[in-house]
Amino acid sequence: MIPPRLIFRKDRMMVLDQRLLPDRIEYIAVRDAAGTAKATRDMALRGAPLIGCAAAFGFALEMRRLKPGTSADIERLARRTAGLLKAARPTAVALFYAADRMLDLALAFAAAHPGKLSPAARGKFPALLDKEARLLTAEDEKACRDMGEHGAALLPRNCVIMTHCNAGALATMGIGTAVGVITAAHRKGKIKHAYSCETRPYLQGARLTIWELMREGVPSELITDNMAAHIIKTCGVNAIVVGADRIASNGDTANKIGTYALGVIARYHKIPFYVAAPTPTIDMTAKDGDAIVIEERSCDEVTYVKGARIAPKGVKVRHPAFDVTPASLITGIITEKGVISPVTRANVRKNLGK
Ligand code: MRU
């Protein structure tokens, strides 16, 4: 079992500190939106769907703490809170989806209760926000389960599979997206072996994914990112599955840096390359991958490993945390609604029911 990522209480949210994994299981108490944004920025909590669920609860906690007295207070505070949460990280659209959904609910409540709030309305508002945050979490859990089923059905028996970064239970409130596909297929006896790329520089694959696969009893090995092509060529890898932080309306997919390289290698070796992501990951306002903002993180994450410097002092560094895999390299996008394949703008729309 993977420990709970978020534990909700009335006045706080306990966040599993993923920076300490796999060595220590410790929780941070978060009481407001600023604390949620900080935990997200600092990577204590990470993974696209998880930061969305946490933002929803951070929003609810903040509004409970501020106790708005009028509909105008709700409007002002809700807009400020959503803005604060959305500023935490730029690439994962789940964060924006969750913050906007909470904001819309708060604005609708304000519109329905104009002026000074009655004691009854004051009592109802926090409960309404809590309910919405719990609903969002339940939707994520179910989406993971459904993606697991759709994805497992795509994989052959004796599948040798590779994944990148951590798109597991630790990145969601359910069984995970890409790793959820692997564990669901494993339960059906379909997985012969799984490879987890370590995912430089933040090592989500080495610290988190391989730990999850080991805990789930999936036969697996950790490799460094630069071993991927060799392992695919020599070890019979017959599928790759990764998660996503944002998918443009044409299917171009932003995911952890290194994903694009795996897409290119998969095409060269003629093996299927799947993306597993719930539909809130699809950003219909993004025409294509060029519209996706790629987060650049601190150079220290590249030049230090566990506090030890590994590059010369004063070195110039680049650290794009994500890259975009073009739709043309993706065999299928697995959502909770089914599989988008071939990956075209029209099929993306169809999956969303639009
Ligand atoms: O920077 P991170 O650790 O938040 O990045 C996570 C990833 O890139 C995951 O692959 C992605 O969020 C999909 S999570 C189900």
Side-chain angles (χ1 to χ4, degrees), residues 144-153 155 175-191 216 218:
C144 287
R145 262 199 315 275
D146 293 347
M147 281 183 279
E149 290 304 309
H150 296 313
L155 301 179
I175 61 168
T177 60
V179 175
V181 168
I182 298 175
T183 52
H186 170 63
R187 288 201 190 107
K188 295 178 196 299
K190 283 183 139 182
I191 300 292
E216 294 292 336
V218 180

PDB file of all heavy atoms in Angstrom, residues 144-153 155 175-191 216 218:
ATOM      1  N   CYS A 144      -8.507   7.299 -12.191  1.00  0.00           N
ATOM      2  CA  CYS A 144      -7.319   6.430 -12.159  1.00  0.00           C
ATOM      3  C   CYS A 144      -7.714   4.971 -12.356  1.00  0.00           C
ATOM      4  O   CYS A 144      -7.095   4.242 -13.133  1.00  0.00           O
ATOM      5  CB  CYS A 144      -6.586   6.582 -10.822  1.00  0.00           C
ATOM      6  SG  CYS A 144      -5.703   8.147 -10.651  1.00  0.00           S
ATOM      7  N   ARG A 145      -8.774   4.560 -11.647  1.00  0.00           N
ATOM      8  CA  ARG A 145      -9.235   3.167 -11.773  1.00  0.00           C
ATOM      9  C   ARG A 145      -9.631   2.866 -13.220  1.00  0.00           C
ATOM     10  O   ARG A 145      -9.251   1.850 -13.796  1.00  0.00           O
ATOM     11  CB  ARG A 145     -10.457   2.946 -10.881  1.00  0.00           C
ATOM     12  CG  ARG A 145     -10.143   2.318  -9.539  1.00  0.00           C
ATOM     13  CD  ARG A 145     -11.374   1.708  -8.886  1.00  0.00           C
ATOM     14  NE  ARG A 145     -12.571   2.509  -8.924  1.00  0.00           N
ATOM     15  CZ  ARG A 145     -12.890   3.464  -8.052  1.00  0.00           C
ATOM     16  NH1 ARG A 145     -12.056   3.753  -7.083  1.00  0.00           N
ATOM     17  NH2 ARG A 145     -14.024   4.138  -8.157  1.00  0.00           N
ATOM     18  N   ASP A 146     -10.379   3.781 -13.818  1.00  0.00           N
ATOM     19  CA  ASP A 146     -10.860   3.559 -15.192  1.00  0.00           C
ATOM     20  C   ASP A 146      -9.710   3.558 -16.198  1.00  0.00           C
ATOM     21  O   ASP A 146      -9.679   2.746 -17.123  1.00  0.00           O
ATOM     22  CB  ASP A 146     -11.907   4.622 -15.564  1.00  0.00           C
ATOM     23  CG  ASP A 146     -13.179   4.455 -14.735  1.00  0.00           C
ATOM     24  OD1 ASP A 146     -13.330   3.405 -14.091  1.00  0.00           O
ATOM     25  OD2 ASP A 146     -14.023   5.378 -14.729  1.00  0.00           O
ATOM     26  N   MET A 147      -8.742   4.478 -15.995  1.00  0.00           N
ATOM     27  CA  MET A 147      -7.570   4.489 -16.899  1.00  0.00           C
ATOM     28  C   MET A 147      -6.801   3.181 -16.773  1.00  0.00           C
ATOM     29  O   MET A 147      -6.297   2.648 -17.763  1.00  0.00           O
ATOM     30  CB  MET A 147      -6.640   5.655 -16.551  1.00  0.00           C
ATOM     31  CG  MET A 147      -7.119   6.981 -17.086  1.00  0.00           C
ATOM     32  SD  MET A 147      -5.938   8.266 -16.707  1.00  0.00           S
ATOM     33  CE  MET A 147      -6.356   8.651 -15.036  1.00  0.00           C
ATOM     34  N   GLY A 148      -6.722   2.672 -15.542  1.00  0.00           N
ATOM     35  CA  GLY A 148      -6.029   1.394 -15.304  1.00  0.00           C
ATOM     36  C   GLY A 148      -6.651   0.296 -16.155  1.00  0.00           C
ATOM     37  O   GLY A 148      -5.949  -0.482 -16.822  1.00  0.00           O
ATOM     38  N   GLU A 149      -7.985   0.248 -16.167  1.00  0.00           N
ATOM     39  CA  GLU A 149      -8.690  -0.785 -16.947  1.00  0.00           C
ATOM     40  C   GLU A 149      -8.466  -0.599 -18.451  1.00  0.00           C
ATOM     41  O   GLU A 149      -8.099  -1.540 -19.153  1.00  0.00           O
ATOM     42  CB  GLU A 149     -10.197  -0.762 -16.640  1.00  0.00           C
ATOM     43  CG  GLU A 149     -10.538  -1.256 -15.249  1.00  0.00           C
ATOM     44  CD  GLU A 149      -9.999  -2.656 -14.968  1.00  0.00           C
ATOM     45  OE1 GLU A 149     -10.241  -3.563 -15.771  1.00  0.00           O
ATOM     46  OE2 GLU A 149      -9.310  -2.833 -13.927  1.00  0.00           O
ATOM     47  N   HIS A 150      -8.678   0.640 -18.932  1.00  0.00           N
ATOM     48  CA  HIS A 150      -8.517   0.896 -20.383  1.00  0.00           C
ATOM     49  C   HIS A 150      -7.075   0.614 -20.816  1.00  0.00           C
ATOM     50  O   HIS A 150      -6.835   0.051 -21.878  1.00  0.00           O
ATOM     51  CB  HIS A 150      -8.825   2.357 -20.731  1.00  0.00           C
ATOM     52  CG  HIS A 150     -10.240   2.754 -20.463  1.00  0.00           C
ATOM     53  ND1 HIS A 150     -11.319   2.006 -20.853  1.00  0.00           N
ATOM     54  CD2 HIS A 150     -10.769   3.853 -19.838  1.00  0.00           C
ATOM     55  CE1 HIS A 150     -12.444   2.611 -20.483  1.00  0.00           C
ATOM     56  NE2 HIS A 150     -12.133   3.730 -19.869  1.00  0.00           N
ATOM     57  N   GLY A 151      -6.127   1.027 -19.990  1.00  0.00           N
ATOM     58  CA  GLY A 151      -4.714   0.877 -20.341  1.00  0.00           C
ATOM     59  C   GLY A 151      -4.286  -0.576 -20.313  1.00  0.00           C
ATOM     60  O   GLY A 151      -3.604  -1.062 -21.234  1.00  0.00           O
ATOM     61  N   ALA A 152      -4.722  -1.303 -19.276  1.00  0.00           N
ATOM     62  CA  ALA A 152      -4.333  -2.720 -19.143  1.00  0.00           C
ATOM     63  C   ALA A 152      -4.826  -3.515 -20.358  1.00  0.00           C
ATOM     64  O   ALA A 152      -4.152  -4.428 -20.838  1.00  0.00           O
ATOM     65  CB  ALA A 152      -4.878  -3.299 -17.841  1.00  0.00           C
ATOM     66  N   ALA A 153      -5.999  -3.139 -20.851  1.00  0.00           N
ATOM     67  CA  ALA A 153      -6.569  -3.860 -22.002  1.00  0.00           C
ATOM     68  C   ALA A 153      -5.719  -3.675 -23.263  1.00  0.00           C
ATOM     69  O   ALA A 153      -5.740  -4.519 -24.167  1.00  0.00           O
ATOM     70  CB  ALA A 153      -7.996  -3.374 -22.256  1.00  0.00           C
ATOM     71  N   LEU A 155      -2.416  -3.564 -23.352  1.00  0.00           N
ATOM     72  CA  LEU A 155      -1.084  -4.185 -23.266  1.00  0.00           C
ATOM     73  C   LEU A 155      -1.127  -5.661 -23.607  1.00  0.00           C
ATOM     74  O   LEU A 155      -2.108  -6.351 -23.287  1.00  0.00           O
ATOM     75  CB  LEU A 155      -0.504  -3.977 -21.857  1.00  0.00           C
ATOM     76  CG  LEU A 155      -0.359  -2.509 -21.418  1.00  0.00           C
ATOM     77  CD1 LEU A 155       0.209  -2.434 -19.999  1.00  0.00           C
ATOM     78  CD2 LEU A 155       0.519  -1.719 -22.388  1.00  0.00           C
ATOM     79  N   ILE A 175      -4.870   5.206  -7.868  1.00  0.00           N
ATOM     80  CA  ILE A 175      -3.782   4.251  -8.102  1.00  0.00           C
ATOM     81  C   ILE A 175      -2.712   4.815  -9.037  1.00  0.00           C
ATOM     82  O   ILE A 175      -1.718   4.150  -9.313  1.00  0.00           O
ATOM     83  CB  ILE A 175      -4.302   2.901  -8.676  1.00  0.00           C
ATOM     84  CG1 ILE A 175      -5.001   3.120 -10.038  1.00  0.00           C
ATOM     85  CG2 ILE A 175      -5.213   2.198  -7.689  1.00  0.00           C
ATOM     86  CD1 ILE A 175      -5.280   1.825 -10.806  1.00  0.00           C
ATOM     87  N   GLY A 176      -2.941   6.028  -9.524  1.00  0.00           N
ATOM     88  CA  GLY A 176      -1.977   6.619 -10.449  1.00  0.00           C
ATOM     89  C   GLY A 176      -2.504   6.565 -11.872  1.00  0.00           C
ATOM     90  O   GLY A 176      -3.525   5.935 -12.154  1.00  0.00           O
ATOM     91  N   THR A 177      -1.777   7.234 -12.769  1.00  0.00           N
ATOM     92  CA  THR A 177      -2.181   7.235 -14.178  1.00  0.00           C
ATOM     93  C   THR A 177      -1.353   6.188 -14.925  1.00  0.00           C
ATOM     94  O   THR A 177      -1.797   5.055 -15.088  1.00  0.00           O
ATOM     95  CB  THR A 177      -2.022   8.647 -14.772  1.00  0.00           C
ATOM     96  OG1 THR A 177      -0.664   9.074 -14.685  1.00  0.00           O
ATOM     97  CG2 THR A 177      -2.912   9.645 -14.055  1.00  0.00           C
ATOM     98  N   ALA A 178      -0.115   6.531 -15.316  1.00  0.00           N
ATOM     99  CA  ALA A 178       0.716   5.558 -16.041  1.00  0.00           C
ATOM    100  C   ALA A 178       1.046   4.351 -15.155  1.00  0.00           C
ATOM    101  O   ALA A 178       0.944   3.199 -15.595  1.00  0.00           O
ATOM    102  CB  ALA A 178       1.999   6.234 -16.522  1.00  0.00           C
ATOM    103  N   VAL A 179       1.433   4.605 -13.906  1.00  0.00           N
ATOM    104  CA  VAL A 179       1.768   3.477 -13.014  1.00  0.00           C
ATOM    105  C   VAL A 179       0.495   2.694 -12.675  1.00  0.00           C
ATOM    106  O   VAL A 179       0.536   1.473 -12.497  1.00  0.00           O
ATOM    107  CB  VAL A 179       2.509   3.968 -11.743  1.00  0.00           C
ATOM    108  CG1 VAL A 179       2.749   2.814 -10.779  1.00  0.00           C
ATOM    109  CG2 VAL A 179       3.839   4.612 -12.126  1.00  0.00           C
ATOM    110  N   GLY A 180      -0.639   3.388 -12.641  1.00  0.00           N
ATOM    111  CA  GLY A 180      -1.922   2.701 -12.423  1.00  0.00           C
ATOM    112  C   GLY A 180      -2.205   1.704 -13.546  1.00  0.00           C
ATOM    113  O   GLY A 180      -2.728   0.615 -13.295  1.00  0.00           O
ATOM    114  N   VAL A 181      -1.830   2.074 -14.771  1.00  0.00           N
ATOM    115  CA  VAL A 181      -1.989   1.148 -15.906  1.00  0.00           C
ATOM    116  C   VAL A 181      -1.102  -0.081 -15.686  1.00  0.00           C
ATOM    117  O   VAL A 181      -1.521  -1.227 -15.879  1.00  0.00           O
ATOM    118  CB  VAL A 181      -1.630   1.852 -17.243  1.00  0.00           C
ATOM    119  CG1 VAL A 181      -1.498   0.851 -18.385  1.00  0.00           C
ATOM    120  CG2 VAL A 181      -2.674   2.928 -17.579  1.00  0.00           C
ATOM    121  N   ILE A 182       0.136   0.165 -15.221  1.00  0.00           N
ATOM    122  CA  ILE A 182       1.074  -0.962 -15.014  1.00  0.00           C
ATOM    123  C   ILE A 182       0.569  -1.867 -13.885  1.00  0.00           C
ATOM    124  O   ILE A 182       0.543  -3.096 -14.026  1.00  0.00           O
ATOM    125  CB  ILE A 182       2.501  -0.438 -14.708  1.00  0.00           C
ATOM    126  CG1 ILE A 182       3.046   0.375 -15.893  1.00  0.00           C
ATOM    127  CG2 ILE A 182       3.439  -1.599 -14.357  1.00  0.00           C
ATOM    128  CD1 ILE A 182       4.399   1.034 -15.658  1.00  0.00           C
ATOM    129  N   THR A 183       0.133  -1.270 -12.760  1.00  0.00           N
ATOM    130  CA  THR A 183      -0.287  -2.123 -11.634  1.00  0.00           C
ATOM    131  C   THR A 183      -1.596  -2.851 -11.963  1.00  0.00           C
ATOM    132  O   THR A 183      -1.775  -4.012 -11.578  1.00  0.00           O
ATOM    133  CB  THR A 183      -0.403  -1.321 -10.317  1.00  0.00           C
ATOM    134  OG1 THR A 183      -1.222  -0.172 -10.546  1.00  0.00           O
ATOM    135  CG2 THR A 183       0.949  -0.884  -9.803  1.00  0.00           C
ATOM    136  N   ALA A 184      -2.479  -2.182 -12.721  1.00  0.00           N
ATOM    137  CA  ALA A 184      -3.731  -2.861 -13.117  1.00  0.00           C
ATOM    138  C   ALA A 184      -3.402  -4.045 -14.037  1.00  0.00           C
ATOM    139  O   ALA A 184      -3.955  -5.141 -13.889  1.00  0.00           O
ATOM    140  CB  ALA A 184      -4.669  -1.887 -13.818  1.00  0.00           C
ATOM    141  N   ALA A 185      -2.472  -3.835 -14.973  1.00  0.00           N
ATOM    142  CA  ALA A 185      -2.086  -4.919 -15.897  1.00  0.00           C
ATOM    143  C   ALA A 185      -1.371  -6.028 -15.127  1.00  0.00           C
ATOM    144  O   ALA A 185      -1.542  -7.219 -15.419  1.00  0.00           O
ATOM    145  CB  ALA A 185      -1.193  -4.366 -17.006  1.00  0.00           C
ATOM    146  N   HIS A 186      -0.593  -5.632 -14.126  1.00  0.00           N
ATOM    147  CA  HIS A 186       0.118  -6.631 -13.308  1.00  0.00           C
ATOM    148  C   HIS A 186      -0.888  -7.537 -12.586  1.00  0.00           C
ATOM    149  O   HIS A 186      -0.716  -8.755 -12.530  1.00  0.00           O
ATOM    150  CB  HIS A 186       1.012  -5.911 -12.299  1.00  0.00           C
ATOM    151  CG  HIS A 186       1.608  -6.811 -11.270  1.00  0.00           C
ATOM    152  ND1 HIS A 186       2.476  -7.830 -11.595  1.00  0.00           N
ATOM    153  CD2 HIS A 186       1.444  -6.861  -9.923  1.00  0.00           C
ATOM    154  CE1 HIS A 186       2.840  -8.469 -10.494  1.00  0.00           C
ATOM    155  NE2 HIS A 186       2.218  -7.905  -9.467  1.00  0.00           N
ATOM    156  N   ARG A 187      -1.947  -6.926 -12.054  1.00  0.00           N
ATOM    157  CA  ARG A 187      -2.969  -7.725 -11.355  1.00  0.00           C
ATOM    158  C   ARG A 187      -3.649  -8.699 -12.301  1.00  0.00           C
ATOM    159  O   ARG A 187      -4.146  -9.735 -11.887  1.00  0.00           O
ATOM    160  CB  ARG A 187      -4.016  -6.811 -10.715  1.00  0.00           C
ATOM    161  CG  ARG A 187      -3.419  -6.121  -9.524  1.00  0.00           C
ATOM    162  CD  ARG A 187      -4.420  -5.595  -8.528  1.00  0.00           C
ATOM    163  NE  ARG A 187      -3.643  -4.767  -7.618  1.00  0.00           N
ATOM    164  CZ  ARG A 187      -3.673  -3.456  -7.580  1.00  0.00           C
ATOM    165  NH1 ARG A 187      -4.501  -2.804  -8.363  1.00  0.00           N
ATOM    166  NH2 ARG A 187      -2.902  -2.786  -6.751  1.00  0.00           N
ATOM    167  N   LYS A 188      -3.650  -8.379 -13.588  1.00  0.00           N
ATOM    168  CA  LYS A 188      -4.251  -9.286 -14.574  1.00  0.00           C
ATOM    169  C   LYS A 188      -3.210 -10.269 -15.113  1.00  0.00           C
ATOM    170  O   LYS A 188      -3.459 -10.970 -16.097  1.00  0.00           O
ATOM    171  CB  LYS A 188      -4.858  -8.480 -15.731  1.00  0.00           C
ATOM    172  CG  LYS A 188      -6.033  -7.608 -15.297  1.00  0.00           C
ATOM    173  CD  LYS A 188      -6.553  -6.797 -16.476  1.00  0.00           C
ATOM    174  CE  LYS A 188      -7.454  -5.647 -16.040  1.00  0.00           C
ATOM    175  NZ  LYS A 188      -8.666  -6.034 -15.330  1.00  0.00           N
ATOM    176  N   GLY A 189      -2.021 -10.258 -14.528  1.00  0.00           N
ATOM    177  CA  GLY A 189      -0.967 -11.207 -14.925  1.00  0.00           C
ATOM    178  C   GLY A 189      -0.297 -10.858 -16.238  1.00  0.00           C
ATOM    179  O   GLY A 189       0.298 -11.723 -16.890  1.00  0.00           O
ATOM    180  N   LYS A 190      -0.382  -9.577 -16.664  1.00  0.00           N
ATOM    181  CA  LYS A 190       0.130  -9.234 -17.999  1.00  0.00           C
ATOM    182  C   LYS A 190       1.555  -8.682 -17.990  1.00  0.00           C
ATOM    183  O   LYS A 190       2.144  -8.524 -19.062  1.00  0.00           O
ATOM    184  CB  LYS A 190      -0.791  -8.183 -18.638  1.00  0.00           C
ATOM    185  CG  LYS A 190      -2.093  -8.751 -19.189  1.00  0.00           C
ATOM    186  CD  LYS A 190      -2.883  -7.647 -19.865  1.00  0.00           C
ATOM    187  CE  LYS A 190      -3.525  -8.125 -21.150  1.00  0.00           C
ATOM    188  NZ  LYS A 190      -4.246  -7.029 -21.824  1.00  0.00           N
ATOM    189  N   ILE A 191       2.074  -8.316 -16.826  1.00  0.00           N
ATOM    190  CA  ILE A 191       3.376  -7.639 -16.815  1.00  0.00           C
ATOM    191  C   ILE A 191       4.510  -8.622 -16.500  1.00  0.00           C
ATOM    192  O   ILE A 191       4.561  -9.221 -15.422  1.00  0.00           O
ATOM    193  CB  ILE A 191       3.391  -6.480 -15.777  1.00  0.00           C
ATOM    194  CG1 ILE A 191       2.309  -5.445 -16.111  1.00  0.00           C
ATOM    195  CG2 ILE A 191       4.779  -5.818 -15.705  1.00  0.00           C
ATOM    196  CD1 ILE A 191       2.524  -4.641 -17.389  1.00  0.00           C
ATOM    197  N   GLU A 216       4.125  -2.721  -4.821  1.00  0.00           N
ATOM    198  CA  GLU A 216       2.987  -3.398  -5.478  1.00  0.00           C
ATOM    199  C   GLU A 216       3.392  -4.784  -5.988  1.00  0.00           C
ATOM    200  O   GLU A 216       2.597  -5.473  -6.616  1.00  0.00           O
ATOM    201  CB  GLU A 216       2.460  -2.563  -6.650  1.00  0.00           C
ATOM    202  CG  GLU A 216       1.838  -1.237  -6.254  1.00  0.00           C
ATOM    203  CD  GLU A 216       0.527  -1.389  -5.466  1.00  0.00           C
ATOM    204  OE1 GLU A 216      -0.131  -2.434  -5.608  1.00  0.00           O
ATOM    205  OE2 GLU A 216       0.183  -0.476  -4.704  1.00  0.00           O
ATOM    206  N   VAL A 218       5.455  -5.568  -8.406  1.00  0.00           N
ATOM    207  CA  VAL A 218       5.657  -5.651  -9.868  1.00  0.00           C
ATOM    208  C   VAL A 218       7.138  -5.957 -10.120  1.00  0.00           C
ATOM    209  O   VAL A 218       8.005  -5.235  -9.621  1.00  0.00           O
ATOM    210  CB  VAL A 218       5.281  -4.316 -10.562  1.00  0.00           C
ATOM    211  CG1 VAL A 218       5.496  -4.407 -12.067  1.00  0.00           C
ATOM    212  CG2 VAL A 218       3.848  -3.908 -10.238  1.00  0.00           C
TER     213      VAL A 218
END
